[in-house]
Amino acid sequence: MIRFEKVTKNYPGPGTPALDRVTVDIDKGEFVYFVGQSGSGKSTALRLVLRELRPTSGRVYVAGKEINRMAGWKVPRLRRQVGTVFQDFRLLPNKTVTENVAFALQVIGKSRREINKVVPETLEVVGLKGMGSRMPDELSGGEQQRVAIARAFVNRPMIIIADEPTGNLDPQTSVGIMNLLEDINQRGTTVLMATHDHGIVDQFRKRVVELENGKVIRDEAAGSYGFQH
Ligand code: ADP
Ligand code: ADP
């Protein structure tokens, strides 16, 4: 589903590469953590999958296509297949929960009829049934993250990319968010999650890809966060 092949990413200016000859193969339906200290290259790896960045060398494949060679007009279609979730939720503050989730479908031209069907279904999947008319500031952090996950998932993408999704949440709320991401993963969506959250990684055992200074130093099935941190 996703393949990094000797991917190196240099940002402009001095310094070591943000990613240094990274090779990782992720199958459809996997759930993979990217762990490592701040600055180790986790976000860079995720952004390459969206083609928000291009590799300096090497190749990134998504669903069999080398996305660096993909024509620019095809990039929106790629991004529709990749839902995103962030630490800071990134909801539209002046829209209701339903409108936040519906917006993702409106921009890709789905019919009102389809939107009216799919949005309530998706709110139910994320545990927010009946909360569609709330505003984001009327929700807890965990509920706001559920809205963000609903928005990422409403289009039933092949892949969900989550960058520190539990970073602003207390441990108990984080467990609820992880249960939801596991549920979505079990529906067939490949999940890539960058995280510093030792407790979560150790409790929800998944494949762990550990980065240090842009290099993969560990790639372990059902790994723990690791001793060294
Ligand atoms: P992480 O997500 O693990 O914190 P990042 O991928 O954000 O790591 O960063 C990896 C390295 O690349 C760091 O040294 C960071 O400072 C650098 N970096 C990230 N984004 C940029 C950018 N837009 N311009 C220059 N350097 C960047
Ligand atoms: P995260 O917490 O997700 O790892 P970062 O703090 O690494 O995010 O980066 C936040 C934003 O700042 C990103 O858009 C990243 O590309 C940019 N950025 C990170 N490090 C640098 C840097 N050294 N120079 C310029 N931009 C950077």
Side-chain angles (χ1 to χ4, degrees), residues 59-77:
R59 296 187 176 88
V60 180
Y61 296 89
V62 176
K65 298 201 175 64
E66 190 195 333
I67 61 170
N68 192 40
R69 287 176 51 183
M70 184 180 278
W73 65 271
K74 289 184 177 167
V75 172
R77 192 166 71 194

Side-chain angles (χ1 to χ4, degrees), residues 24-63:
V24 176
D25 243 308
I26 297 168
D27 285 338
K28 181 169 167 41
E30 278 200 273
F31 192 130
V32 183
Y33 294 121
F34 281 74
V35 307
Q37 291 178 3
S38 187
S40 58
K42 304 183 296 295
S43 298
T44 298
L46 299 188
R47 296 178 66 200
L48 283 163
V49 175
L50 291 162
R51 214 175 91 169
E52 286 182 15
L53 299 171
R54 320 269 294 238
T56 306
S57 64
R59 296 187 176 88
V60 180
Y61 296 89
V62 176

Side-chain angles (χ1 to χ4, degrees), residues 108-144:
I108 62 172
K110 295 284 184 191
S111 70
R112 179 180 292 257
R113 188 160 158 271
E114 165 127 24
I115 292 171
N116 288 343
K117 177 172 161 295
V118 166
V119 172
E121 281 172 8
T122 306
L123 289 179
E124 191 166 350
V125 170
V126 303
L128 295 176
K129 194 176 179 205
M131 295 177 79
S133 57
R134 302 273 193 100
M135 300 302 288
D137 67 4
E138 297 168 347
L139 302 176
S140 68
E143 289 165 344
Q144 289 184 55

Side-chain angles (χ1 to χ4, degrees), residues 10-21:
N10 291 304
Y11 288 105
T16 55
L19 290 178
D20 190 357
R21 287 162 290 166

